[in-house]
């Protein structure tokens, strides 16, 4: 313990056999990293001023080495995180299925902040929030769980649109303590998914793995950076999904109109002609005229049958069932 003065040296507990002692602080730019202790100088002599100067120099070099090691560790950690964010960004950009995208977001965030559990809550049709993805320990029964906007911490973070780091859920007045106990939650990160000035969901990380379940400020900043990319991906996927649905509905409507027009203009007229041809057969004055009318009627029925078969093939080509979409398109071309 260096005490309030970083230049002071805390002496270890006195040992009865200890006769000589030298201690200097490991200091760099006023920051104390620890102490360097020496005891029992050889021969039983006292430590001198030269000894103290030498040990002080060694302590200063040790402080530089410690700071360099910490800076290197910090830089290496951030480099790994940036690489992970870049990898996540590429993965998110290539996934357009919302369910798989949410699972990917929850899984990657859990890896980035080393959390026990990560959940994603999205707005539900009734106005509340619904857990749409969960990754980690004890996720059974969580998917589809409804969270009230006013009665849950997740809902309040959604409304405020601001991240929160909770070091102790038991001391947070907005937490649902029963739910926290059910999830065995001690600490948490709440990060809203924000895009175009609107909150579209909330990421929640539960308990950092290890001896200390609390998340750090670095974890929060990393989660916010990740959430901004995730929010863009979720928003894009939802818009693509809505646009795809709209296009499918429009295509179905156009196909229905085309089919109705074909049935009316071709098949309907052909059937009308068949009815008129039957009347001609009935009214034929001779066998020759009757045979001629029947032949014409048979030809008309065959042409109509071909038209109906053509419509069926256009609606569902046999190649689509037999070989798949790509060969069917190539054959169409």
């Amino acid at each position: 313990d260096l005490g309030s003065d970083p230049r002071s040296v805390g002496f270890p507990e006195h040992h009865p056999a200890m006769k000589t002692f030298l201690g200097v602080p490991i200091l760099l730019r006023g920051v104390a990293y620890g102490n360097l202790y020496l005891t029992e100088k050889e021969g039983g002599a006292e430590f001198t001023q030269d000894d103290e100067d030498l040990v002080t120099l060694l302590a200063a070099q040790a402080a530089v080495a410690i700071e360099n090691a910490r800076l290197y560790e910090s830089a290496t950690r951030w480099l790994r995180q940036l690489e992970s964010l870049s990898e996540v960004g590429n993965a998110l950009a290539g996934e357009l299925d919302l369910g798989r995208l949410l699972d990917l977001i929850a899984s990657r965030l859990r890896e980035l902040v080393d959390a026990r559990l990560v959940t994603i809550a999205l707005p539900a049709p009734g106005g509340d929030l619904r857990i749409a993805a969960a990754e980690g320990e004890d996720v059974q029964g969580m998917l589809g769980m409804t969270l009230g906007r006013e009665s849950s911490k997740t809902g309040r973070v959604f409304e405020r649109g601001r991240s929160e780091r909770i070091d102790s859920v038991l001391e947070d007045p907005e937490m649902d303590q029963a739910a926290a106990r059910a999830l065995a939650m001690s600490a948490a990160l709440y990060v809203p998914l924000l895009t175009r000035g609107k909150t579209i969901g909330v990421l929640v990380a539960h308990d950092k793995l290890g001896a200390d379940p609390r998340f750090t400020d670095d974890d929060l900043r990393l989660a916010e950076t990740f959430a901004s990319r995730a929010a863009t991906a979720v928003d894009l996927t939802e818009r693509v999904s809505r646009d795809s649905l709209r296009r499918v509905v429009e295509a179905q409507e156009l196909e229905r109109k085309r089919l109705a027009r074909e049935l009316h203009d071709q098949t309907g007229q052909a059937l009308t002609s068949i009815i008129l041809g039957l009347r001609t057969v009935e009214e034929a004055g001779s066998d020759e005229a009757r045979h001629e009318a029947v032949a014409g009627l048979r030809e008309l029925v065959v042409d109509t049958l071909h038209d109906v078969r053509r419509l069926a093939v256009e609606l569902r080509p046999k190649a689509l069932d037999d070989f798949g979409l790509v060969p069917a398109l190539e054959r169409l071309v």
Side-chain angles (χ1 to χ4, degrees), residues 77-276:
R77 183 174 64 253
W78 274 107
L79 178 60
R80 287 198 303 267
Q81 291 172 348
L82 287 174
E83 290 174 347
S84 297
L85 285 173
S86 177
E87 179 186 345
V88 166
N90 293 334
L92 296 184
E95 183 57 74
L96 293 178
D97 180 88
L98 183 59
R100 290 196 299 266
L101 176 64
L102 295 175
D103 290 339
L104 178 62
I105 290 171
S107 174
R108 292 304 178 88
L109 179 60
R110 185 182 179 225
E111 294 173 3
L112 285 175
V113 299
D114 202 21
R116 177 177 63 86
L117 171 67
V118 169
T119 60
I120 303 176
L122 300 180
D128 291 329
L129 300 176
R130 181 182 63 86
I131 295 181
E135 181 70 26
E137 303 174 4
D138 304 322
V139 298
Q140 294 84 357
M142 295 192 67
L143 286 178
M145 183 184 298
T146 301
L147 306 172
R149 292 253 186 133
E150 299 296 330
S151 59
S152 69
K153 183 71 176 181
T154 304
R156 291 187 174 96
V157 171
F158 183 92
E159 292 295 328
R160 289 192 288 260
R162 295 194 308 271
S163 301
E164 291 192 35
R165 189 189 77 188
I166 311 299
D167 290 339
S168 175
V169 299
L170 295 177
E171 298 176 5
D172 191 297
E174 292 183 336
M175 288 294 302
D176 183 341
Q177 298 300 330
R181 284 191 295 271
L183 294 172
M185 188 194 309
S186 300
L189 283 180
Y190 288 84
V191 183
L193 294 171
L194 301 170
T195 179
R196 296 182 293 170
K198 182 179 69 172
T199 306
I200 62 172
V202 179
L203 291 175
V204 185
H206 303 246
D207 299 325
K208 194 173 182 71
L209 294 174
D212 189 350
R214 295 174 296 179
F215 295 97
T216 65
D217 289 336
D218 287 343
D219 292 328
L220 180 59
R221 285 192 294 269
L222 182 62
E224 288 176 332
T225 303
F226 175 79
S228 65
R229 301 189 180 194
T232 301
V234 170
D235 182 57
L236 175 62
T237 300
E238 289 182 331
R239 283 191 286 129
V240 168
S241 179
R242 288 194 298 269
D243 186 61
S244 298
L245 179 60
R246 177 183 60 80
R247 289 173 181 270
V248 167
V249 171
E250 289 177 353
Q252 289 176 338
E253 189 62 28
L254 288 174
E255 187 66 8
R256 290 191 185 99
K257 290 179 179 179
R258 186 187 71 84
L259 182 59
R261 186 169 58 251
E262 292 256 3
L263 290 173
H264 178 269
D265 294 345
Q266 295 184 19
T267 308
Q269 290 183 9
L271 292 174
T272 301
S273 298
I274 290 172
I275 293 174
L276 294 175

